[in-house]
Amino acid sequence: MSDLTLFSNNSELPAYLKNAALDDVTSVLAGESLGARRISIKGGVFREMIGGKEYRVSEERSMNVVIVKAAPKVSRVFYSGTYSEGETVSPTCWSSDSQRPDEKVKEKQSATCLNCPKNIKGSGQGDSRACRYQQRLAVVVDGEIQKREVYQLVLPPTSVFGDGEKGKLPLQAYARHLKNNGVPITGVVTEIRFDTASPTPKLVFKPVRPLSEDEYNTVQTLKDTQEAISAVTLTVAQTDGVKENKEEVFAPTTPEPEVIAEPKKAEPKKAPVANEPKLEDLVGEWDDN
């Protein structure tokens, strides 16, 4: 079979290749830049990014995702200088395990996070600490699970810690609720919603539905992919492929109003299947015993 026959007559290809999607290896060798994906919550809006460029913005106050992987420990990040709303700068110091600065940090503020002067209450604005916690997640968007597109989602501390309330739980409380009811977080569609009572972008979590068997199997195969690993280990600047002085900053405690351009309407997500089991049947009532 000549190469002309191979490419001009698709019927000569075996069935398993005829319907196959082009893989990442082909794209890389063809000189295409794939670009890491992440979901930004800057300005209280869900912004889907590829390689640091915004390509889709949602008008909705919530988004349904599946949490594929989480960094085993919360991370920390410190920015020096004065913050201006909408400005993007690289962090001065950061830690992936909240114990000590990462090796790549050039301006370490301390040998350990515990004894760092930026970890003292009052070192930031008001009574806050200048060095802030973050939680890195790898997620896929509901309705697009079979696309196998993994996004990084970095949560500020207000979205991670605390008790919350019924249907509006921060991440750790949400995970404890699922665990107490024997439900894996990677086996459900999770609604992430902006808490409109918060002056800064803050997300709360609740379960929407269990995954189908095919969806669950797909999610399990994504856990150990390089995309998922990168999502929970890289900083925002590294994910965006941005060099020095180009990292997104979380807004201060009392941000000034931000003017945001009218967003493009996101494509509708997949509707739940008829007669699909309700997640309440799996996790019971919201009040944990």
Side-chain angles (χ1 to χ4, degrees):
M1 180 185 295
S2 70
D3 58 350
L4 292 178
T5 302
L6 174 64
F7 298 125
S8 64
N9 187 358
N10 187 264
S11 63
E12 297 292 336
L13 287 175
Y16 64 88
L17 288 180
K18 188 184 301 182
N19 299 319
L22 288 177
D23 56 24
D24 291 352
V25 176
T26 308
S27 297
V28 169
L29 293 178
E32 297 177 11
S33 176
L34 299 176
R37 298 173 180 270
R38 71 180 179 91
I39 295 174
S40 167
I41 60 172
K42 180 180 177 181
V45 177
F46 291 113
R47 307 169 187 271
E48 296 177 43
M49 319 281 290
I50 299 181
K53 295 183 179 180
E54 185 179 290
Y55 83 99
R56 185 164 62 178
V57 179
S58 175
E59 295 177 351
E60 306 298 327
R61 303 306 299 163
S62 66
M63 174 182 282
N64 290 350
V65 301
V66 180
I67 297 174
V68 173
K69 196 179 188 71
K73 295 184 178 181
V74 291
S75 54
R76 281 177 175 265
V77 62
F78 164 68
Y79 299 93
S80 61
T82 303
Y83 174 82
S84 297
E85 182 66 28
E87 182 183 7
T88 54
V89 295
S90 294
T92 303
C93 186
W94 66 92
S95 170
S96 296
D97 60 6
S98 295
Q99 300 298 313
R100 55 188 57 81
D102 285 9
E103 292 183 1
K104 292 184 179 180
V105 176
K106 297 179 180 179
E107 298 180 48
K108 296 179 175 63
Q109 303 299 296
S110 174
T112 64
C113 295
L114 181 63
N115 298 319
C116 181
K118 307 304 180 184
N119 187 38
I120 298 175
K121 195 173 182 179
S123 58
Q125 293 187 352
D127 290 331
S128 68
R129 291 175 171 83
C131 188
R132 302 177 182 181
Y133 284 109
Q134 296 179 340
Q135 174 69 60
R136 298 169 185 160
L137 300 177
V139 304
V140 290
V141 178
D142 184 30
E144 301 178 0
I145 297 174
Q146 297 305 328
K147 289 185 178 180
R148 304 174 62 86
E149 295 174 344
V150 178
Y151 291 78
Q152 180 189 63
L153 175 61
V154 180
L155 302 176
T158 52
S159 301
V160 179
F161 307 113
D163 297 327
E165 58 187 61
K166 182 177 180 180
K168 295 177 62 177
L169 297 175
L171 181 66
Q172 289 188 353
Y174 172 60
R176 286 194 296 270
H177 172 67
L178 293 181
K179 182 177 180 179
N180 290 343
N181 287 277
V183 178
I185 202 168
T186 58
V188 300
V189 172
T190 295
E191 179 192 85
I192 53 176
R193 176 178 292 274
F194 283 107
D195 184 350
T196 55
S198 174
T200 59
K202 172 186 175 182
L203 297 179
V204 291
F205 302 77
K206 76 174 184 178
V208 176
R209 65 173 178 86
L211 297 181
S212 68
E213 185 174 0
D214 286 345
E215 289 173 330
Y216 179 72
N217 290 336
T218 298
V219 168
Q220 299 313 300
T221 64
L222 293 175
K223 286 170 136 182
D224 297 319
T225 61
Q226 186 56 56
E227 290 80 4
I229 294 171
S230 295
V232 301
T233 56
L234 299 182
T235 66
V236 169
Q238 292 167 336
T239 297
D240 284 355
V242 176
K243 296 180 181 180
E244 215 166 319
N245 298 325
K246 290 289 182 180
E247 176 151 345
E248 176 181 355
V249 187
F250 286 116
T253 305
T254 54
E256 296 180 0
E258 179 184 19
V259 178
I260 302 174
E262 183 177 351
K264 298 173 287 184
K265 188 174 181 62
E267 297 176 5
K269 309 303 180 186
K270 186 177 75 172
V273 179
N275 299 321
E276 191 172 50
K278 295 181 179 179
L279 197 60
E280 290 83 352
D281 296 334
L282 298 180
V283 301
E285 296 297 326
W286 276 101
D287 295 328
D288 290 334
N289 294 323

